[in-house]
Amino acid sequence: MSDLHKFPVIPVIVLDDANDAEPLAEALLAGGLNIIEVTFRTAAAAESIERIAKAFPEMQVGAGTVVTPEQAKRAIDAGSKFGLAPGTDPETIAYFKQQGVPFIPGIMTPSDIQAAVKAGCTSLKFFPAGAAGGPKLLKAMAAPYANLGIKFCPTGGVTLDNMNDYLSLPEVFAIGGTWLATKAQIQAKEWGTITQQVKDALAKASA
Ligand code: 3PG
């Protein structure tokens, strides 16, 4: 898991066509980002992960929106080096654990945090971060659990403008978002725009 904590920004990707997987990964790498979360929101997810893992071994390729153990198996078989989900499902967490692949379940309430901790997870996705209450809610909600060393990755409504409001919290290890490479930009093959967005986000994260 510590490997994942090296990246301040995680692009949350929706790929409709697995043929876009390699050029997209190339665009992210050109911007300086070695991590990608390919969401299981489309049928192209598993093949896309497989193609990225094969073509770019230097890329930390992971699966997002993994909500069942069956999806977890497909994600790991395809070469995912980590997984995430918007919610906390004990069976999906158990599958990742059994396979020795890091998994970041999603939380939005203290009860979610406790369920995830009980299942052995200490890196958690805070989703949907903006709609739920943003950095203020996260700070207040995380406070009672400070002694447990839990770290969060807020996603949902995170943008270039507000990303540092989250990253400045000590309990936040990264932020994620679709804005780094939107579905429309991928469909239009705007690889240069995506590279620039990644550069902008990384420059801001380290500012
Ligand atoms: C996620 O699953 O992380 C979200 O879909 C990202 O939300 P965003 O589109 O607001 O970045």
Side-chain angles (χ1 to χ4, degrees):
M1 184 64 63
S2 56
D3 253 18
L4 294 179
H5 288 201
K6 288 196 307 218
F7 306 94
V9 174
I10 302 176
V12 178
I13 303 297
V14 181
L15 272 169
D16 283 320
D17 182 351
N19 288 317
D20 288 331
E22 291 98 338
L24 170 66
E26 219 165 350
L28 299 172
L29 287 165
L33 202 52
N34 287 46
I35 189 163
I36 181 170
E37 172 190 340
V38 180
T39 58
F40 266 70
R41 296 174 200 179
T42 65
E47 187 187 339
S48 300
I49 289 168
E50 202 169 340
R51 287 169 72 153
I52 295 168
K54 200 170 283 173
F56 304 100
E58 70 274 38
M59 187 69 129
Q60 286 282 332
V61 58
T65 324
V66 182
V67 301
T68 63
E70 290 73 26
Q71 284 183 335
K73 179 173 182 347
R74 281 168 53 214
I76 294 170
D77 288 351
S80 297
K81 293 175 182 143
F82 65 95
L84 292 108
T88 288
D89 172 58
E91 288 173 38
T92 304
I93 293 172
Y95 187 82
F96 272 93
K97 205 171 262 309
Q98 196 183 66
Q99 300 300 314
V101 177
F103 184 65
I104 302 175
I107 61 89
M108 203 190 79
T109 67
S111 297
D112 295 339
I113 293 177
Q114 290 177 205
V117 168
K118 192 172 169 189
C121 301
T122 50
S123 289
L124 309 177
K125 167 167 163 146
F126 171 41
F127 177 84
K136 195 174 165 193
L137 172 66
L138 180 57
K139 207 172 156 48
M141 186 167 66
Y145 307 108
N147 62 313
L148 299 179
I150 300 168
K151 299 287 177 194
F152 297 89
C153 175
T155 77
V158 181
T159 63
L160 185 67
D161 286 339
N162 65 20
M163 58 181 272
N164 279 350
D165 298 341
Y166 292 99
L167 284 174
S168 60
L169 300 178
E171 49 279 273
V172 168
F173 70 90
I175 52 93
T178 55
W179 100 91
L180 290 148
T182 69
K183 199 173 157 169
Q185 288 167 342
I186 294 167
Q187 279 168 353
K189 306 194 190 308
E190 293 173 10
W191 311 127
T193 306
I194 290 169
T195 296
Q196 191 54 50
Q197 285 165 176
V198 166
K199 283 185 181 169
D200 292 346
L202 288 177
K204 190 146 186 193
S206 64

Coordinates of all heavy atoms in Angstrom, one line a residue, residues 10-14 37 39 41 64-65 84-86 125-130 153-159 175-180 182, ligand 1:
I10 N -4.7 10.7 -8.4 CA -5.0 9.4 -9.1 C -6.1 9.7 -10.1 O -7.2 10.1 -9.8 CB -5.5 8.4 -8.1 CG1 -4.5 8.1 -7.0 CG2 -5.9 7.1 -8.8 CD1 -4.9 7.1 -6.0
P11 N -5.8 9.6 -11.4 CA -6.9 9.8 -12.4 C -7.9 8.6 -12.4 O -7.5 7.5 -12.5 CB -6.1 9.8 -13.7 CG -4.8 9.1 -13.5 CD -4.5 9.1 -12.0
V12 N -9.1 9.0 -12.3 CA -10.2 8.0 -12.3 C -10.8 7.9 -13.7 O -11.3 8.9 -14.3 CB -11.4 8.5 -11.3 CG1 -12.5 7.5 -11.4 CG2 -10.8 8.6 -9.9
I13 N -10.6 6.8 -14.4 CA -10.8 6.7 -15.8 C -12.0 5.8 -16.2 O -12.2 4.7 -15.6 CB -9.5 6.0 -16.4 CG1 -8.3 6.8 -16.1 CG2 -9.7 5.8 -17.9 CD1 -8.3 8.2 -16.7
V14 N -12.8 6.3 -17.1 CA -13.9 5.5 -17.7 C -13.5 5.3 -19.2 O -13.5 6.3 -20.0 CB -15.2 6.3 -17.6 CG1 -16.3 5.4 -18.2 CG2 -15.5 6.6 -16.2
E37 N -6.3 4.6 -12.5 CA -7.4 3.8 -12.0 C -8.4 3.6 -13.1 O -9.1 4.6 -13.5 CB -8.1 4.5 -10.8 CG -9.4 3.8 -10.3 CD -10.1 4.7 -9.3 OE1 -9.5 5.6 -8.6 OE2 -11.3 4.4 -9.1
T39 N -11.9 2.3 -14.2 CA -13.1 1.8 -13.4 C -13.8 0.7 -14.1 O -13.9 0.7 -15.4 CB -14.0 3.0 -13.2 OG1 -14.4 3.6 -14.5 CG2 -13.4 4.1 -12.4
R41 N -16.7 0.4 -14.8 CA -18.0 1.0 -15.1 C -18.3 0.7 -16.6 O -19.4 1.1 -17.1 CB -18.0 2.5 -14.9 CG -17.8 2.9 -13.5 CD -17.6 4.4 -13.2 NE -17.0 4.6 -11.9 CZ -16.7 5.7 -11.4 NH1 -17.0 6.9 -12.1 NH2 -16.1 5.8 -10.2
G64 N -10.9 0.5 -10.6 CA -11.8 1.3 -9.7 C -13.2 0.7 -9.8 O -13.5 -0.1 -10.7
T65 N -14.1 1.2 -8.9 CA -15.5 0.8 -8.9 C -15.6 -0.8 -8.9 O -16.4 -1.3 -9.6 CB -16.3 1.4 -10.1 OG1 -15.8 2.7 -10.3 CG2 -17.7 1.5 -9.7
L84 N -10.0 -0.1 -6.0 CA -10.7 0.8 -5.2 C -12.2 0.6 -5.4 O -12.6 -0.1 -6.4 CB -10.5 2.3 -5.6 CG -9.1 2.9 -5.4 CD1 -8.4 3.0 -6.7 CD2 -9.3 4.3 -4.8
A85 N -13.0 1.1 -4.5 CA -14.5 1.1 -4.7 C -15.1 2.3 -4.0 O -14.5 2.9 -3.1 CB -15.1 -0.2 -4.2
P86 N -16.3 2.7 -4.5 CA -17.0 3.8 -3.8 C -17.5 3.5 -2.4 O -17.6 4.3 -1.6 CB -18.1 4.2 -4.7 CG -17.8 3.5 -6.0 CD -17.0 2.3 -5.7
K125 N -11.1 5.4 0.6 CA -11.5 6.5 -0.4 C -12.7 7.2 0.3 O -13.6 6.6 0.8 CB -12.0 5.7 -1.6 CG -12.7 6.6 -2.6 CD -12.8 5.8 -4.0 CE -13.9 6.3 -4.9 NZ -13.6 6.3 -6.3
F126 N -12.6 8.5 0.3 CA -13.7 9.3 0.8 C -14.5 9.8 -0.4 O -14.1 10.6 -1.2 CB -13.1 10.5 1.6 CG -14.1 11.6 2.0 CD1 -15.4 11.2 2.5 CD2 -13.9 12.9 1.9 CE1 -16.3 12.2 2.9 CE2 -14.8 13.9 2.3 CZ -16.0 13.5 2.8
F127 N -15.7 9.2 -0.5 CA -16.6 9.4 -1.7 C -18.0 9.6 -1.3 O -18.5 8.8 -0.4 CB -16.4 8.2 -2.6 CG -17.3 8.4 -3.8 CD1 -16.9 9.1 -4.9 CD2 -18.5 7.7 -3.9 CE1 -17.8 9.3 -6.1 CE2 -19.4 7.9 -5.0 CZ -19.0 8.6 -6.1
P128 N -18.8 10.5 -1.9 CA -18.4 11.5 -2.8 C -18.0 12.8 -2.0 O -18.8 13.4 -1.4 CB -19.7 11.8 -3.6 CG -20.8 11.4 -2.6 CD -20.3 10.4 -1.7
A129 N -16.7 13.0 -2.1 CA -16.1 14.0 -1.1 C -16.8 15.4 -1.1 O -17.1 15.9 -0.1 CB -14.6 14.2 -1.5
G130 N -17.0 16.0 -2.3 CA -17.5 17.3 -2.4 C -19.0 17.4 -1.9 O -19.3 18.2 -1.0
C153 N -8.3 9.0 0.5 CA -8.2 9.5 -0.8 C -9.5 10.1 -1.2 O -10.4 9.3 -1.6 CB -7.7 8.4 -1.8 SG -7.7 8.9 -3.5
P154 N -9.7 11.4 -1.1 CA -11.0 12.0 -1.5 C -11.2 12.0 -3.0 O -10.3 12.3 -3.7 CB -11.0 13.4 -0.9 CG -9.8 13.5 0.0 CD -8.8 12.4 -0.5
T155 N -12.4 11.6 -3.4 CA -12.8 11.7 -4.8 C -14.3 12.0 -4.9 O -15.0 11.8 -4.0 CB -12.6 10.4 -5.6 OG1 -13.6 9.5 -5.3 CG2 -11.2 9.7 -5.3
G156 N -14.6 12.6 -6.0 CA -16.0 13.0 -6.2 C -16.1 14.5 -6.0 O -16.1 15.0 -4.8
G157 N -16.1 15.3 -7.1 CA -16.1 16.7 -7.0 C -14.8 17.4 -6.7 O -14.7 18.6 -6.4
V158 N -13.7 16.6 -6.8 CA -12.4 17.2 -6.6 C -11.9 17.8 -7.9 O -12.1 17.1 -9.0 CB -11.4 16.1 -6.1 CG1 -10.0 16.8 -5.9 CG2 -11.9 15.5 -4.8
T159 N -11.4 19.0 -7.9 CA -10.9 19.6 -9.1 C -9.5 20.2 -8.9 O -9.0 20.3 -7.8 CB -11.9 20.8 -9.5 OG1 -11.8 21.8 -8.4 CG2 -13.3 20.3 -9.6
I175 N -5.6 12.6 -3.9 CA -6.9 12.9 -4.3 C -7.1 12.2 -5.7 O -6.2 11.9 -6.4 CB -7.2 14.4 -4.5 CG1 -6.2 15.1 -5.3 CG2 -7.3 15.0 -3.1 CD1 -6.5 15.2 -6.7
G176 N -8.4 11.9 -6.0 CA -8.7 11.3 -7.3 C -9.8 12.1 -8.0 O -10.5 12.8 -7.4
G177 N -9.8 11.9 -9.3 CA -10.8 12.6 -10.1 C -10.9 12.2 -11.5 O -9.9 11.8 -12.1
T178 N -12.0 12.4 -12.1 CA -12.2 12.2 -13.5 C -11.8 13.4 -14.4 O -11.6 13.2 -15.6 CB -13.7 11.8 -13.9 OG1 -14.5 12.9 -13.4 CG2 -14.1 10.5 -13.2
W179 N -11.6 14.5 -13.8 CA -11.3 15.7 -14.6 C -9.9 15.6 -15.2 O -9.6 16.3 -16.2 CB -11.4 17.0 -13.7 CG -10.0 17.5 -13.2 CD1 -9.2 18.4 -13.8 CD2 -9.4 17.1 -12.0 NE1 -8.1 18.6 -13.0 CE2 -8.2 17.9 -11.9 CE3 -9.7 16.3 -10.9 CZ2 -7.3 17.8 -10.8 CZ3 -8.8 16.1 -9.8 CH2 -7.6 16.9 -9.8
L180 N -9.0 14.8 -14.7 CA -7.7 14.6 -15.3 C -7.7 14.0 -16.7 O -6.8 14.3 -17.5 CB -6.8 13.8 -14.3 CG -6.5 14.5 -13.0 CD1 -6.3 13.5 -11.9 CD2 -5.2 15.3 -13.2
T182 N -11.1 13.2 -18.9 CA -12.6 13.0 -19.0 C -12.9 12.0 -20.1 O -12.2 11.8 -21.0 CB -13.3 14.3 -19.2 OG1 -13.1 14.7 -20.5 CG2 -12.9 15.4 -18.2
Ligands
3PG1 C1 -14.9 8.4 -8.4 O1 -15.4 7.3 -8.5 O2 -13.8 8.6 -7.9 C2 -15.7 9.5 -8.9 O3 -16.5 9.1 -10.0 C3 -14.8 10.7 -9.3 O4 -15.7 11.8 -9.3 P1 -15.5 13.0 -10.2 O5 -16.1 12.7 -11.5 O6 -16.3 14.1 -9.5 O7 -14.1 13.3 -10.3

